[in-house]
Amino acid sequence: MSNLDLSKKADIEKLTSAGKKVYEKIKNQYEPKYNGKYLAIEPESGEAFIHDAAAYAMIMAKKKYPESLFFVLKIGSEAAFTSISPILLQ
């Protein structure tokens, strides 16, 4: 399945909700030590990938879970963004 197909099939609300639930369970491992870094969370496994840049966190996650979409947030930020990531790795 192509990344475009994955993003079209995504239920963004479900992905966001699942990602937030995972983050609530693990945030004590990351805050405040890693505030300002980014996490890409694979909601089904609960696995998180951390990096200074959101794109690299998503690339790391996509390498392990090529068929997944990810919940992405900035650690420790009240105004954290979320994203589904149909990153194309070749």
Side-chain angles (χ1 to χ4, degrees):
M1 183 177 296
S2 77
N3 288 316
L4 183 57
D5 291 337
L6 280 173
S7 63
K8 285 180 181 177
K9 286 182 66 175
D11 180 337
I12 295 172
E13 288 181 21
K14 183 177 177 183
L15 176 68
T16 300
S17 176
K20 285 180 179 180
K21 285 179 185 174
V22 171
Y23 187 64
E24 285 302 314
K25 292 178 185 176
I26 65 172
K27 76 178 187 178
N28 290 338
Q29 299 172 36
Y30 297 98
E31 291 182 15
K33 185 176 182 179
Y34 298 106
N35 283 359
K37 294 186 183 284
Y38 292 88
L39 274 185
I41 297 172
E42 200 287 322
E44 289 185 28
S45 69
E47 192 165 355
F49 301 83
I50 188 170
H51 201 279
D52 291 334
Y56 285 108
M58 290 186 286
I59 288 168
M60 291 165 48
K62 197 71 173 169
K63 283 182 180 178
K64 183 157 186 185
Y65 297 99
E67 297 295 318
S68 293
L69 296 172
F70 306 95
F71 175 79
V72 181
L73 61 95
K74 187 172 186 178
I75 300 168
S77 177
E78 296 266 337
F81 72 92
T82 62
S83 171
I84 58 170
S85 171
I87 287 182
L88 186 58
L89 295 179
Q90 308 227 355

